[in-house]
Amino acid sequence: MGKKTDKLYVTYSEHSAGGHSATSAGHASSSSSQRPASFARLPFDHCALSLKPFENPVCEREGIVYDVSNIIPFLRQYGNISPVTGSPLTSSDLFPLNFTTNEEGEYIDPLTFKVFTHHSAIVAVLKSGNVYSKDTVERLNIKAGWWRDLITDEEISKSDIVTIQDPNDTKTRDLSNFHHLKNALKVSSAEEEGTINLTNPGLAKAVARATGKTTASDASTAQSSKAKDKGKQPVKAQEQQPEVKEKEEKKAQSAFSKGLVSSSLTSTAASVVTKNEGEDLEEEEIMFPQIKDKSYLRLVTSLGPLNLELHSDRAPRTCYNFMRLAEEGKYDNTIFHRLIPGFMIQGGDPTGTGRGGQSIWGTRFADEIQRSSYKHDARGVVSMANSGPNTNGSQFFLTFKATPHLDSKHTVFGKLVGGEETLDRMEKARCDGEKPLRDIRLVEVEVFKDAFAEWKGRRERKRGYLEAEKSGKKGDGEGADVNWFGVKLKPEEEKEAGEKVVKKRKLEEQGLLSGLSGLGDVGNADGRGDERKKKKTKGFGNFEGW
């Protein structure tokens, strides 16, 4: 740190004398000769040709970004040369880019949501066109050895990763080095009109979408409409967007907030938020804890029926997945691809290989294993097949005996309640290894009781009841005589008559009406029944009627 020494400090005399980097005078004198007199740097979100913010960005392999509506006319006019470097460049060497934006319209990393600035290191994957932070790609792709795009999951190589902006490299974005600025190359207005003929069909569509022009194949059909629409001015994108309507019904929210306020306080990459909002709950998150009933269905197989009881109250997510797949017909005409006598029989894979099958959400879902979960403690237990923790899809199996070693590893979601003879025939089927010689086919699934559909029906009826009550129309219209739980209510007349019949029956059972022939029915026209009803007795009452 000291002058011509390896000391980690500077003495007062050295500091006052100057001539080293610790003083402002020494730093200015040492670096003034290295810096250019004037330096203009192109921002990463600007087109290198028009020097304006791009709308439809494309880039070349050197990482130079253009707007597609500017670069194509330039290449056509000046014979396929790069506007920045002057080296050969054709339209097939251009790759469309996909920038991710946040709510404020700022460009961000799609995985870390960090906002790109003029000091960020930015890279792009040419195969997918996705733009990431350089740190994200280094940690998740290069160092991890994972050569797939982080969003599209398509296979990539190291050569597909190009640098869009490197804050330490100022030469590539120095405007004084741009070829088209040095030679004053401009695109004439004649080149901006006409059709587009590109070898890259994806780029041709992007150019046509950005410029509003047609491709060469569509030029003949567009000439007639072009003359008609020539005098029309294009409508701005903001005018084309419809107004966002407010939500008519607010979603149910959990007790936990979205965490936007705290993240905006502690993170420089997050947008500023000053009001906490509850995290929205999906219908399934509300429904699963409220399911208290079982579900029942029948598996119609080629060897006979299997009646199952599903534990919708203990494993609601697993049962819901099974019921929805059955309703969509995903299990219809599938085979039981694996059979081990004395252990289990496995099916539920539409491919029949044991390596396929997805859940209704399209992804693997978590196990539902708790202390109160059912165990593999008997014959006919229905459980989910998986390839490890939290990898459930659509495959399931039925046990031929108790298998306690599978507890806490597989989610038990049902049991056999009918069709034991069918299960016996399955176990006796001949196998080639673990595959039955003759296909045991699951023909269809018949649903008897769906606890989830019943819950949804109750919720809809409750919602309709509340809406009718809020609008002041309670008791009018169809379904007004049905309560929240679907039970039909009796009219007032039937209620009163029913109460009178019940009271009369009670009196007859007690023998109090045996000697009262002239009193008629309870609550008759002369009103004596009402007087008897209102009269209060003390003690054992009056025994004259006996």
Side-chain angles (χ1 to χ4, degrees):
M1 187 174 181
K3 185 177 180 181
K4 297 181 181 180
T5 65
D6 293 333
K7 296 186 300 181
L8 299 180
Y9 58 91
V10 177
T11 63
Y12 174 76
S13 58
E14 291 174 341
H15 185 272
S16 58
H20 52 77
S21 60
T23 61
S24 58
H27 176 70
S29 61
S30 61
S31 60
S32 59
S33 59
Q34 300 176 2
R35 292 182 299 169
S38 61
F39 173 71
R41 183 177 181 179
L42 179 70
F44 76 93
D45 56 349
H46 281 53
C47 171
L49 185 57
S50 66
L51 309 183
K52 296 179 180 179
F54 50 67
E55 295 182 0
N56 298 277
V58 294
C59 79
E60 52 179 292
R61 283 199 169 271
E62 283 71 19
I64 304 172
V65 182
Y66 310 96
D67 194 298
V68 70
S69 60
N70 298 323
I71 185 61
I72 297 302
F74 183 90
L75 296 179
R76 187 165 49 242
Q77 180 175 349
Y78 291 102
N80 295 329
I81 63 170
S82 173
V84 175
T85 62
S87 57
L89 178 68
T90 62
S91 59
S92 60
D93 299 328
L94 298 175
F95 301 87
L97 298 180
N98 302 319
F99 278 87
T100 306
T101 58
N102 57 13
E103 296 178 355
E104 286 74 21
E106 300 171 320
Y107 295 117
I108 61 173
D109 182 280
L111 298 183
T112 63
F113 304 108
K114 187 175 181 180
V115 178
F116 290 151
T117 66
H118 301 307
H119 305 286
S120 304
I122 307 172
V123 298
V125 179
L126 295 182
K127 272 195 174 182
S128 63
N130 295 322
V131 181
Y132 304 95
S133 173
K134 184 178 180 181
D135 179 63
T136 300
V137 174
E138 284 185 349
R139 288 188 292 109
L140 301 181
N141 285 115
I142 300 176
K143 291 184 179 179
W146 178 254
W147 296 109
R148 288 187 174 274
D149 188 88
L150 299 174
I151 294 180
T152 62
D153 200 37
E154 58 184 307
E155 189 173 352
I156 61 173
S157 61
K158 195 170 184 179
S159 60
D160 294 327
I161 302 174
V162 298
T163 302
I164 300 298
Q165 175 177 266
D166 184 0
N168 297 322
D169 184 11
T170 59
K171 294 182 179 180
T172 56
R173 308 192 71 84
D174 188 356
L175 297 178
S176 61
N177 297 329
F178 284 14
H179 175 75
H180 71 95
L181 293 179
K182 288 181 178 179
N183 300 276
L185 304 180
K186 295 182 180 180
V187 179
S188 62
S189 57
E191 287 295 333
E192 295 179 354
E193 300 178 355
T195 59
I196 302 165
N197 187 8
L198 302 178
T199 58
N200 188 341
L203 186 61
K205 292 180 180 179
V207 174
R209 184 173 60 252
T211 60
K213 303 173 186 176
T214 58
T215 58
S217 60
D218 301 331
S220 58
T221 58
Q223 286 180 356
S224 59
S225 60
K226 183 179 179 181
K228 185 187 298 183
D229 299 333
K230 188 174 181 180
K232 295 182 180 180
Q233 294 294 333
V235 183
K236 294 183 180 179
Q238 296 179 355
E239 298 175 357
Q240 294 177 349
Q241 295 178 354
E243 296 182 358
V244 180
K245 295 182 179 180
E246 296 182 357
K247 295 181 180 179
E248 297 180 359
E249 181 182 356
K250 291 185 177 180
K251 287 187 176 181
Q253 294 181 340
S254 68
F256 302 98
S257 70
K258 295 181 179 179
L260 299 179
V261 174
S262 58
S263 62
S264 66
L265 177 65
T266 58
S267 174
T268 58
S271 305
V272 177
V273 180
T274 58
K275 184 179 179 181
N276 269 321
E277 295 181 4
E279 187 175 3
D280 294 336
L281 292 177
E282 299 296 334
E283 183 184 42
E284 296 171 0
E285 298 179 81
I286 304 171
M287 175 176 60
F288 291 156
Q290 298 182 17
I291 299 297
K292 305 300 180 184
D293 300 328
K294 306 284 187 181
S295 298
Y296 296 89
L297 52 82
R298 172 183 292 166
L299 304 182
V300 181
T301 71
S302 57
L303 296 182
L306 294 171
N307 296 338
L308 304 182
E309 177 188 82
L310 301 188
H311 307 312
S312 308
D313 53 340
R314 299 286 186 90
R317 186 177 297 275
T318 306
C319 293
Y320 184 74
N321 173 69
F322 190 86
M323 297 292 289
R324 297 291 80 78
L325 289 174
E327 286 184 358
E328 295 174 4
K330 300 295 185 182
Y331 291 135
D332 293 353
N333 205 29
T334 59
I335 64 171
F336 290 90
H337 59 273
R338 189 183 182 199
L339 171 61
I340 303 178
F343 180 35
M344 62 87 199
I345 183 170
Q346 183 175 336
D349 181 8
T351 65
T353 61
R355 294 185 293 272
Q358 286 188 338
S359 67
I360 57 171
W361 301 284
T363 58
R364 304 290 182 178
F365 63 95
D367 300 323
E368 291 181 292
I369 300 175
Q370 303 172 354
R371 290 185 178 180
S372 59
S373 301
Y374 288 95
K375 308 296 183 182
H376 301 79
D377 55 359
R379 179 181 176 85
V381 171
V382 187
S383 185
M384 289 298 292
N386 58 41
S387 57
N390 305 322
T391 57
N392 298 294
S394 65
Q395 297 187 40
F396 63 95
F397 64 90
L398 288 89
T399 61
F400 292 134
K401 67 174 185 178
T403 53
H405 63 282
L406 299 181
D407 294 342
S408 301
K409 296 179 181 178
H410 298 265
T411 302
V412 175
F413 68 97
K415 63 180 179 180
L416 187 71
V417 293
E420 288 81 0
E421 61 281 358
T422 303
L423 195 64
D424 294 338
R425 286 193 287 268
M426 288 182 171
E427 187 175 9
K428 294 177 182 178
R430 298 180 62 185
C431 300
D432 180 13
E434 295 183 356
K435 183 176 178 62
L437 289 176
R438 286 188 176 183
D439 287 346
I440 303 176
R441 195 166 295 277
L442 175 55
V443 181
E444 62 176 348
V445 181
E446 299 176 355
V447 178
F448 299 136
K449 179 183 177 182
D450 188 348
F452 305 99
E454 292 179 356
W455 181 90
K456 291 180 180 179
R458 290 196 300 268
R459 190 182 187 209
E460 289 300 322
R461 288 192 293 271
K462 179 179 178 180
R463 186 176 299 172
Y465 180 86
L466 293 177
E467 289 177 357
E469 187 179 38
K470 186 177 181 181
S471 60
K473 297 181 180 180
K474 183 179 178 182
D476 299 334
E478 184 180 356
D481 57 344
V482 179
N483 65 5
W484 292 357
F485 303 100
V487 180
K488 188 173 182 179
L489 301 177
K490 295 182 179 180
E492 287 297 328
E493 296 80 6
E494 295 181 8
K495 277 187 170 182
E496 294 177 1
E499 292 176 358
K500 293 175 182 178
V501 171
V502 171
K503 289 182 179 179
K504 182 178 179 180
R505 188 180 297 115
K506 286 183 179 179
L507 291 174
E508 288 177 349
E509 291 175 356
Q510 296 174 4
L512 296 179
L513 297 181
S514 59
L516 300 178
S517 58
L519 292 180
D521 293 339
V522 177
N524 53 19
D526 58 4
R528 285 182 291 175
D530 295 336
E531 293 177 1
R532 291 175 60 88
K533 181 179 178 181
K534 295 179 181 178
K535 185 178 179 180
K536 295 182 179 180
T537 60
K538 295 183 179 180
F540 294 100
N542 188 359
F543 292 94
E544 294 179 356
W546 291 77

